[in-house]
Amino acid sequence: MAIYFDKETKTFYLEGKSTTYAFYINNFGYAEHLYYGKRIHRDYIIYTRSEGVRSCIATAPGADNVSGQKSFHHMNPEISFFGTGDYREPTVHPRFASGDRLTTLLYAGHEILDEKPAISGMPSMRGGKTLVLHLYDEVKSFGADLYYTVFDDCDVIARRIVYYNDSGDTVKLDRAYSFAMSLPSGEYDMLSLHGGWACERQPERVPLHYGVASIDSKRATSSATLNPFMAILGRDTTESFGDAWSVSLIYSSSFVLKAEITSSGEALLLGGINDFDFEWQLGAGESFETPEVAIAYSADGIGGMSRALHDAMRDHLINEKYVKAPRPVLINNWEGTYFNFTKEKLCAIADAVAGTGIDTLVLDDGWFGKRDDDKSGLGDWFVNEKKLVGGLDGVIEHVHSVGMKFGLWFEPEMISEDSDIFRAHPEYAIGVPDRARCYSRHQFMMDLTNPEVRDYIVNSVNAILGKHKIDYVKWDYNRNVTEFFSLALDSELQSEFAHRYALGLYDICDRIVSANPDIFFEGCSGGGARFDPAILYYFPQVWTSDNSDAEERTRIQYGTSIAYPLSAMACHVSASPNHQVGRATRLATRGDIAHLGATGYELDTTVFTDDDRAAVKAQIEAYKKMERLVLEGDLYRIENPYTSNYFSFMIVSKDKSQAHLTCYRSLNHCNPAPHRVIMQGLDENKQYYIPELNLILHGSVLMSVGIVVNFGKGDFETKVYHLEEK
Ligand code: GLA
């Protein structure tokens, strides 16, 4: 049984693949956290909770001189709240009609469901046995349902809270987080992923201090600045050993994740929708759904935690139809032509790679409206026939005639000032009356909180997709909200803007994706600035970064893999010298690094020589051999490019019969020591054949003695190894 309730001790044991999450209902009715970690027996563990009130610390409400009394100093409730002696960060902050902001949420019952209900209008994980814990404040007729979902096949718990207002008055929610979770007193580090354009998701590990550490976004998007992901690690935890917990928020708007070390040295993790510039009007009888979080645990270090997250996202979050299906191997024209293309040029780009294994031409920005640069046309989703003589169909027919599929770029959430749609409907753009708007990449944003705007977007995008034979869509998003205001919202609802933007985004994603079930969608955001679990729910892969230089990509892909599976990362071979950093690298190096994800090409293929074509063909054949591992395998990060001159990723099949190792050396040095790489994740007792070394070796040898990697001369060299069980 995945969820077990011991009636005598009122203890809940939630069991994932190899973890236990436990809490109990104490004498006062509070749900008190007990444990989250490695799977344990269902023993009595309430002995870990102490009783009593220290001086200067408040009792539980009304509990003076009551035997077994508790104060919040001793209690770690599954939800923290304000004004009743709990001075930690509150999970919820309601403002009742009387002005009173206190709440006490006590156990009022529970249900165990065989399958998790989907959240209406928001992305969430699929399947999994679910506990719904009903907590209620009798005084205020205010409730919170805490959802916990466990999965038999991965070490992730999905959590969220639904707040509801049974009273006759509106309750204002100043804060409505998705979860709170305690960890016992200890020494902890926080690992987060920060970055910017072309340098997304760089890991940063810092010690947690007494007080509150937080990461957030106030941009109405998840952003490249800080990913909605936070891991808490034991101070001694490494890539391969030790306790690692993580929180991934399935949300694509302003968020906050916090880790508080309390005065007793315990840790409290919590977060959800950012409560900065947030206030939700919860009308009488209404409920408020918070976004879901995926909480992972591994005793096998950061690597184990990543593998738990990869499994959970692949098996329970990303579109089942596509997540493990072979991905389109595409040629994207962006870096090959930028805005400067014709039908003839696009056809020539396709012709140059037809027959190599590249199977899809993606036509990027510039095919619609009046769009010859980034100053105009966004929102006018009709084909620019002046530029593309013969329309889209001319290109599509040609691409099909050489055996390839066709993909198209959109940026549905945007509007250019110089566009027909803005001239007709300036109110579709986000803005505050009488104030000048901020430009970003010369463009404004569509007001997705307005249903009429959403209908316009859905209808115009679906019209193009319905009219032409399109197999693939790249959905871009190149700026962030500046004016947090909607003409379509009443004044008292303006602080709901950022969350309503997310709901609007989910609505248009859902309506466009579900109307086009045979189209494969890729997310993008000025590179990888919106690489988050909510986007992955709609789009199975995301453009990882506009920086496609192989050296830089080792770091970006390393950091991204901490929280996301390889199959979610779109990785392209681009031109050399690279357009972002000017570095020259070999085609083989660019290919080997781009193979560690959903691979593709993005350069002007019309300059290819016969040798280049042959090399690309060989690269794709090699990719096809490792594709299953990229889509389904377990990732082991062997060498870290942030801390060494090397990068290596090893991917091992679930049954450990196959593996692939990619090794990369940044700079060459004279007279180097032999470079030994110790493998991970194999079966010690299996024998593996490695054709590149012509060796058959046991897993035990490969994981203790390792192999010696002899890189060629020069910088930015790669070596790849295939392992096949003998
Ligand atoms: C963004 C994307 C690029 C490309 C351009 C087009 O920057 O990240 O891949 O699509 O937009 O304008």
Side-chain angles (χ1 to χ4, degrees):
M1 190 193 283
I3 296 181
Y4 180 82
F5 179 57
D6 183 328
K7 285 192 185 128
E8 229 166 274
T9 61
K10 294 200 183 127
T11 304
F12 291 91
Y13 299 89
L14 315 180
E15 294 168 354
K17 187 175 153 207
S18 52
T19 57
T20 299
Y21 187 109
F23 64 90
Y24 82 115
I25 309 301
N26 72 18
N27 309 350
F28 295 93
Y30 294 91
E32 230 188 297
H33 186 79
L34 292 170
Y35 173 78
Y36 180 35
K38 229 188 225 177
R39 174 69 71 81
I40 52 170
H41 288 91
R42 293 177 204 138
D43 288 352
Y44 177 84
I45 49 172
I46 300 173
Y47 65 85
T48 55
R49 309 305 309 148
S50 57
E51 290 184 355
V53 177
R54 290 195 203 160
S55 55
C56 302
I57 289 170
T59 68
D64 205 14
N65 295 321
V66 176
S67 113
Q69 67 177 286
K70 295 241 173 195
S71 74
F72 280 95
H73 193 84
H74 298 282
M75 227 196 282
N76 284 322
E78 289 288 299
I79 176 168
S80 48
F81 28 80
F82 169 74
T84 52
D86 189 353
Y87 294 106
R88 302 172 309 161
E89 279 285 311
T91 315
V92 58
H93 193 234
R95 190 176 288 275
F96 298 103
S98 61
D100 170 5
R101 283 104 55 228
L102 270 58
T103 182
T104 302
L105 290 159
L106 300 179
Y107 177 73
H110 71 270
E111 292 160 75
I112 295 175
L113 312 174
D114 280 338
E115 179 134 341
K116 182 163 78 69
I119 315 179
S120 131
M122 276 205 274
S124 61
M125 297 178 76
R126 293 181 298 273
K129 210 159 201 177
T130 298
L131 167 71
V132 189
L133 182 71
H134 303 296
L135 303 180
Y136 201 64
D137 183 334
E138 295 279 355
V139 179
K140 291 292 177 191
S141 303
F142 177 72
D145 284 346
L146 277 57
Y147 284 70
Y148 298 80
T149 300
V150 280
F151 304 94
D152 291 341
D153 54 0
C154 64
D155 284 324
V156 160
I157 295 188
R159 289 192 56 185
R160 68 189 163 100
I161 301 178
V162 179
Y163 298 98
Y164 57 96
N165 172 15
D166 277 351
S167 76
D169 297 309
T170 295
V171 176
K172 291 178 183 169
L173 296 176
D174 289 341
R175 172 180 292 188
Y177 288 169
S178 297
F179 81 107
M181 186 180 88
S182 305
L183 295 174
S185 56
E187 302 268 283
Y188 296 108
D189 286 350
M190 176 174 92
L191 174 70
S192 56
L193 301 172
H194 72 97
W197 176 75
C199 55
E200 295 89 342
R201 288 168 298 286
Q202 303 177 43
E204 184 183 40
R205 181 173 179 166
V206 292
L208 279 182
H209 54 81
Y210 280 89
V212 183
S214 78
I215 57 164
D216 80 342
S217 156
K218 301 182 190 73
R219 296 164 178 262
T221 186
S222 48
S223 97
T225 309
L226 284 161
N227 198 264
F229 164 86
M230 180 172 82
I232 301 300
L233 312 171
R235 184 71 35 88
D236 299 333
T237 295
T238 66
E239 176 64 22
S240 318
F241 303 100
D243 288 325
W245 296 265
S246 67
V247 182
S248 300
L249 188 62
I250 306 173
Y251 193 52
S252 213
S253 188
S254 303
F255 72 90
V256 65
L257 291 172
K258 294 178 177 169
E260 175 169 9
I261 300 294
T262 67
S263 61
S264 55
E266 289 165 314
L268 175 72
L269 315 185
L270 72 172
I273 297 171
N274 198 335
D275 44 318
F276 171 77
D277 195 34
F278 170 83
E279 181 192 75
W280 195 268
Q281 308 280 325
L282 192 61
E286 286 180 359
S287 57
F288 182 72
E289 294 267 9
T290 61
E292 191 164 84
V293 286
I295 307 182
Y297 168 78
S298 175
D300 297 326
I302 306 167
M305 176 207 75
S306 296
R307 288 186 289 280
L309 278 174
H310 298 171
D311 284 344
M313 289 186 186
R314 291 184 300 207
D315 293 334
H316 299 283
L317 180 72
I318 304 172
N319 189 335
E320 285 171 282
K321 175 168 175 181
Y322 292 109
V323 64
K324 290 183 184 169
R327 297 297 166 80
V329 178
L330 54 96
I331 171 70
N332 176 305
N333 73 304
W334 179 243
E335 289 200 8
T337 65
Y338 296 103
F339 289 104
N340 188 16
F341 56 81
T342 56
K343 176 191 167 192
E344 289 65 37
K345 180 72 181 182
L346 295 170
C347 294
I349 286 176
D351 290 346
V353 290
T356 57
I358 291 181
D359 55 29
T360 305
L361 172 85
V362 176
L363 171 53
D364 211 282
D365 196 353
W367 58 268
F368 51 89
K370 179 178 114 319
R371 180 97 170 152
D372 292 320
D373 55 30
D374 58 11
K375 295 192 173 63
S376 59
L378 290 168
D380 291 343
W381 300 114
F382 49 84
V383 184
N384 180 345
E385 303 219 3
K386 263 199 207 139
K387 184 168 182 178
L388 222 47
V389 180
L392 271 186
D393 288 339
V395 185
I396 295 175
E397 276 158 26
H398 183 86
V399 165
H400 285 171
S401 76
V402 295
M404 289 164 69
K405 293 184 170 179
F406 182 76
L408 198 58
W409 182 96
F410 287 90
E411 199 178 0
E413 297 153 77
M414 300 296 160
I415 181 165
S416 299
E417 190 174 33
D418 182 3
S419 67
D420 292 350
I421 186 65
F422 185 81
R423 281 182 282 273
H425 288 287
E427 77 282 7
Y428 280 13
I430 293 172
V432 181
D434 306 327
R435 283 188 185 277
R437 294 181 176 90
C438 298
Y439 294 81
S440 178
R441 210 195 188 203
H442 314 288
Q443 66 204 46
F444 300 145
M445 289 185 65
M446 289 278 199
D447 180 2
L448 297 193
T449 71
N450 180 342
E452 186 184 324
V453 175
R454 297 202 297 273
D455 287 348
Y456 168 77
I457 295 171
V458 171
N459 294 339
S460 49
V461 172
N462 278 346
I464 292 281
L465 298 181
K467 206 159 142 208
H468 305 280
K469 291 202 169 104
I470 293 166
D471 307 285
Y472 183 105
V473 163
K474 177 176 172 186
W475 181 308
D476 211 339
Y477 166 90
N478 276 309
R479 65 158 288 178
N480 295 161
V481 173
T482 39
E483 298 79 25
F484 288 73
F485 187 88
S486 168
L487 290 169
L489 291 175
D490 290 343
S491 58
E492 72 275 14
L493 299 184
Q494 294 296 340
S495 295
E496 299 183 358
F497 179 87
H499 183 55
R500 286 184 182 272
Y501 186 89
L503 298 178
L505 170 65
Y506 301 152
D507 177 51
I508 62 169
C509 288
D510 186 50
R511 285 159 68 195
I512 293 174
V513 170
S514 50
N516 299 284
D518 295 330
I519 294 182
F520 183 90
F521 283 80
E522 173 179 290
C524 177
S525 172
R530 195 165 64 179
F531 203 124
D532 65 52
I535 289 298
L536 281 173
Y537 173 86
Y538 298 103
F539 311 147
Q541 71 187 40
V542 180
W543 180 224
T544 311
S545 176
D546 276 347
N547 189 342
S548 50
D549 169 61
E551 159 81 9
E552 300 267 287
R553 272 302 186 106
T554 61
R555 283 185 281 277
I556 295 169
Q557 292 173 207
Y558 187 98
T560 306
S561 79
I562 289 176
Y564 301 97
L566 297 188
S567 60
M569 295 183 217
C571 301
H572 296 173
V573 172
S574 60
S576 175
N578 176 269
H579 289 196
Q580 290 75 36
V581 294
R583 182 179 289 116
T585 52
R586 294 181 313 133
L587 182 62
T589 298
R590 282 174 276 149
D592 288 339
I593 300 303
H595 284 181
L596 297 168
T599 204
Y601 292 78
E602 181 157 345
L603 69 179
D604 184 358
T605 56
T606 61
V607 302
F608 272 3
T609 61
D610 286 349
D611 284 353
D612 292 334
R613 261 179 65 83
V616 167
K617 190 161 188 269
Q619 282 188 336
I620 295 168
E621 278 163 13
Y623 182 70
K624 288 289 165 191
K625 284 194 195 132
M626 64 183 286
E627 188 174 36
R628 279 278 124 230
L629 293 171
V630 171
L631 295 171
E632 295 179 69
D634 283 331
L635 173 69
Y636 292 83
R637 288 180 292 261
I638 313 267
E639 290 178 295
N640 181 347
Y642 286 95
T643 54
S644 77
N645 193 32
Y646 299 94
F647 159 87
S648 30
F649 268 11
M650 177 151 185
I651 329 172
V652 182
S653 63
K654 289 280 175 198
D655 65 1
K656 299 188 184 289
S657 66
Q658 280 190 330
H660 176 96
L661 173 70
T662 297
C663 301
Y664 169 85
R665 181 188 62 202
S666 179
L667 298 182
N668 190 18
H669 298 287
C670 239
N671 195 13
H675 186 63
R676 190 85 72 96
V677 171
I678 311 287
M679 297 190 187
Q680 291 179 32
L682 300 172
D683 182 330
E684 296 204 332
N685 298 313
K686 284 190 163 135
Q687 286 189 303
Y688 296 92
Y689 173 56
I690 308 177
E692 292 80 5
L693 299 172
N694 197 21
L695 284 174
I696 297 173
L697 293 167
H698 275 95
S700 65
V701 173
L702 292 165
M703 293 193 292
S704 292
V705 182
I707 61 168
V708 176
V709 178
N710 290 310
F711 291 101
K713 267 199 168 173
D715 298 334
F716 322 121
E717 285 286 307
T718 47
K719 281 276 177 194
V720 296
Y721 302 92
H722 297 84
L723 286 82
E724 192 81 50
E725 183 183 353
K726 260 322 269 178

